[in-house]
Amino acid sequence: METFDYVVVGAGSAGSVIAARLSQSGRNSVLLLEAGPSDKRLFVQMPMGYGKVYYDASVNWKYETEPCAGIANRKSYWPRGKVLGGSSSINAMVYVRGHPQDYTEWNSVAGGWSWDDVSPVFKEMENWSGAPNSLRGQDGPLHVTDTSGNVHSLCDNFLAAASECGYPINHDYNAGNMEGACLYQITTHKGLRASTSRCYLDPARGRHNLCIRPNAQVEKINFDGTKATSVNYRWKGSQKQVAARCEIVLCAGAINTPQLLQLSGIGDHNLLQSLGIQTVANNPHVGQHLQDHLGADYIVKSNVPTMNQQLGPWYGKLKVGLQFLMNRSGPLVLSLNQAGGFISTQSDQVQPNLQLYFSPVSYTRAPVGTRPLINPDPFPGFLLGFNPCKPTSKGSVTINSADPYQAPELHANYLSTDYDVAQMLQGMKLMRRLSQAPSLSQVVEQEIYPGESISSDDALLAFVRENAWTVFHQCGTCRMGDDATQSVVNPQLMVHGVQNLRVADASVFPTIPTGNTNAPCIMVGERASRYILQDSL
């Protein structure tokens, strides 16, 4: 049996960071196990290529939830990265630190996670390409691109419409004040996706003390009493086992981490007993408290050209493809979500309650299958979207088998609170208000979806229940906290009730952040590395 000082499970947004940081000094031997393959493939490296990998099982777990009452008993499709870089290799790349109040919430249940604690880490991990600012980092490993000057001209119409509706324009929502309409910053570098695999693992690949093992799916953590000692995994068609002298670090994400804990005997005793799994630590919070952002779209037919004319026809695809291949330029180096913002719809709110999205392209979301996500409409069109920032509905991730290759049951439980329903209604009304503002209305030919006939509160809510979609921000299923009876890991991310086992990924978030979750997940990886190294002294 192989032995390493540290075994890191999952080479995603946090796991890649941790493996790179733990191996940096050369003193620690580190094994990084990733269930998916290398990220060195065209549609992973191409920023706009995420539409192609949306249903690609070779790099994507392709999860589906159970039917959800709040969204008309529909299932929700949850893509998650199964590749080096994890979901940072297949996401839409929008970089958002979150609001300071998010971390006040975290700190209230897990000491040491206030904004003052985490903001220096965000700064240190960033390599920001925009205007210098004392609050932004420019020497870190993670490349963050200022997209101003490169986005579609219709983004200017969106920003002007937001201003006409009374909302400020924010030129850097990651530099203190988050409020307002903006152009989104994205994790790219020189026209390629800047995943954690590219930014953290690639510079570390030559280290003698770091072993990166893709296509290795972990099946179980083994214990000696309550001390985590080794993991079982499958690699190249064979069962393997590897021991950890110091720690095992789970970075498998908000779905796979609670699944692995439960498979290994950490979870609700009654559930584990019913599946024939011996309980190592009884913790009913494992897999619970799942949160996610739920969004809805307006699709508008435009009277001016949009990206549909660039990405739709074969000759348009050829042109933008050549732009990308020859000089890493053109629309393929951007995200579909080019503009948006963080809006407070009530003056007495401490933080924004709605996140906005503007895409200068319109498309029909493909049903779950093998087709690409992005199939531009044959007419000029654009998309307005939103999601409430702080939903209160909570779901769960629960195994229903002791078989590690059986997907867990995912219960999203969307729109199960009156607050969340009211927030979705506010968002729907705001989208229409924005589309009717002068700067956008002048380029609107027709509201296609939901359509002007959908106008009453009841009709708008019915539309939401039939059409709302995940924004792919699942988190909270192994939440951290000072109180071991109310959480899964402590503030230093050690699993309650056992030794030598830590969790570092979006599952530890006590509450869902305001905005996209990838940047906070990377920050968690950075902080976890520091905790681990401090404990090793």
Side-chain angles (χ1 to χ4, degrees), residues 17 21 123-127 138-144 194-195 198-200 203 526:
V17 174
R21 293 303 193 195
K123 181 177 178 180
E124 289 167 24
M125 75 192 202
E126 291 173 356
N127 193 323
Q138 293 185 297
D139 301 312
L142 184 71
H143 291 277
V144 182
S195 67
R198 279 196 67 214
C199 296
Y200 285 86
E526 288 277 14

Coordinates of all heavy atoms in Angstrom, one line a residue, residues 17 21 123-127 138-144 194-195 198-200 203 526:
V17 N -5.9 23.8 -5.2 CA -5.2 24.8 -4.4 C -4.5 24.1 -3.3 O -3.3 24.3 -3.1 CB -6.3 25.8 -3.9 CG1 -5.6 26.7 -2.9 CG2 -6.9 26.5 -5.0
R21 N -0.5 24.0 -2.6 CA 0.1 24.7 -1.4 C 0.8 23.7 -0.4 O 1.9 24.0 0.1 CB -1.1 25.4 -0.6 CG -1.7 26.5 -1.4 CD -0.7 27.6 -1.8 NE -1.3 28.8 -2.2 CZ -0.7 29.8 -2.8 NH1 0.6 29.7 -3.1 NH2 -1.3 30.9 -3.2
K123 N -7.4 38.8 -1.8 CA -6.5 39.7 -2.5 C -5.2 38.9 -2.8 O -4.6 39.1 -3.9 CB -6.1 40.8 -1.5 CG -5.1 41.8 -2.1 CD -4.9 43.0 -1.2 CE -3.9 44.0 -1.8 NZ -3.6 45.1 -1.0
E124 N -4.7 38.1 -1.9 CA -3.5 37.3 -2.2 C -3.6 36.3 -3.3 O -2.6 36.0 -3.9 CB -3.0 36.7 -0.9 CG -2.5 37.6 0.2 CD -2.4 37.0 1.6 OE1 -2.2 35.8 1.6 OE2 -2.4 37.7 2.6
M125 N -4.8 35.8 -3.5 CA -4.9 34.7 -4.5 C -5.1 35.3 -5.9 O -5.0 34.6 -6.9 CB -6.0 33.7 -4.1 CG -7.4 34.2 -4.3 SD -8.6 33.1 -3.5 CE -10.1 33.5 -4.4
E126 N -5.4 36.6 -6.0 CA -5.8 37.2 -7.3 C -4.6 37.7 -8.1 O -3.6 38.2 -7.5 CB -6.7 38.4 -7.0 CG -8.1 38.1 -6.5 CD -8.9 39.4 -6.2 OE1 -8.3 40.5 -6.3 OE2 -10.0 39.3 -5.8
N127 N -4.7 37.6 -9.4 CA -3.9 38.3 -10.3 C -4.8 39.0 -11.2 O -5.2 38.6 -12.3 CB -3.0 37.3 -11.1 CG -1.9 37.9 -11.9 OD1 -2.1 39.0 -12.4 ND2 -0.8 37.3 -11.9
Q138 N -2.7 41.6 -7.4 CA -2.1 41.5 -8.8 C -0.9 40.6 -8.9 O -0.3 40.5 -10.0 CB -1.7 42.9 -9.3 CG -2.9 43.9 -9.4 CD -2.5 45.2 -10.0 OE1 -1.8 46.0 -9.4 NE2 -3.0 45.5 -11.2
D139 N -0.6 39.9 -7.8 CA 0.5 39.0 -7.8 C 0.2 37.5 -7.5 O 1.1 36.7 -7.4 CB 1.6 39.4 -6.8 CG 2.1 40.9 -7.1 OD1 2.4 41.1 -8.3 OD2 2.1 41.7 -6.2
G140 N -1.1 37.2 -7.4 CA -1.5 35.9 -7.0 C -1.6 34.9 -8.2 O -1.4 35.3 -9.3
P141 N -1.8 33.7 -7.9 CA -1.8 32.7 -9.0 C -3.1 32.7 -9.8 O -3.1 32.2 -11.0 CB -1.7 31.3 -8.2 CG -2.3 31.6 -6.9 CD -1.9 33.1 -6.6
L142 N -4.2 33.2 -9.3 CA -5.5 33.1 -10.0 C -5.7 34.3 -10.9 O -5.9 35.4 -10.4 CB -6.6 32.9 -9.0 CG -8.0 32.7 -9.6 CD1 -8.1 31.3 -10.2 CD2 -9.1 32.9 -8.5
H143 N -5.7 34.1 -12.2 CA -5.9 35.2 -13.1 C -7.4 35.6 -13.2 O -8.3 34.7 -13.4 CB -5.4 34.8 -14.5 CG -3.9 34.6 -14.6 ND1 -3.1 35.7 -14.7 CD2 -3.1 33.5 -14.4 CE1 -1.8 35.3 -14.7 NE2 -1.8 34.0 -14.6
V144 N -7.6 36.9 -13.0 CA -9.0 37.4 -13.1 C -9.0 38.5 -14.1 O -8.2 39.5 -14.0 CB -9.5 37.9 -11.7 CG1 -10.9 38.5 -11.8 CG2 -9.4 36.8 -10.7
A194 N -8.9 30.1 -16.9 CA -8.0 30.1 -15.8 C -8.6 29.3 -14.7 O -9.0 29.9 -13.7 CB -7.6 31.5 -15.4
S195 N -8.6 28.0 -14.8 CA -9.1 27.1 -13.8 C -8.1 27.0 -12.7 O -6.9 27.4 -12.9 CB -9.4 25.7 -14.4 OG -8.2 25.1 -14.8
R198 N -5.1 25.0 -14.1 CA -4.1 25.8 -14.8 C -3.3 26.7 -13.9 O -2.1 26.8 -14.0 CB -4.8 26.6 -15.9 CG -5.2 25.9 -17.2 CD -5.5 26.8 -18.3 NE -4.3 27.6 -18.7 CZ -4.3 28.9 -19.1 NH1 -5.4 29.6 -19.2 NH2 -3.2 29.5 -19.5
C199 N -4.0 27.3 -12.9 CA -3.3 28.4 -12.2 C -2.5 27.8 -11.0 O -1.5 28.4 -10.6 CB -4.4 29.4 -11.6 SG -5.2 30.3 -13.0
Y200 N -3.0 26.7 -10.4 CA -2.3 26.1 -9.2 C -1.5 24.8 -9.5 O -0.4 24.7 -9.1 CB -3.3 25.9 -8.1 CG -3.8 27.1 -7.4 CD1 -4.9 27.9 -7.9 CD2 -3.2 27.6 -6.2 CE1 -5.3 29.0 -7.3 CE2 -3.6 28.7 -5.6 CZ -4.7 29.4 -6.1 OH -5.1 30.5 -5.4
P203 N 1.8 24.9 -12.5 CA 3.1 25.4 -12.0 C 3.7 24.4 -11.0 O 4.9 24.4 -10.8 CB 2.8 26.7 -11.3 CG 1.5 27.2 -11.9 CD 0.7 25.9 -12.2
E526 N -7.5 27.9 0.0 CA -6.3 28.6 0.4 C -6.3 28.6 2.0 O -5.2 28.4 2.6 CB -6.4 30.1 -0.1 CG -6.1 30.3 -1.5 CD -4.6 30.3 -1.8 OE1 -3.8 29.9 -1.0 OE2 -4.2 30.7 -3.0

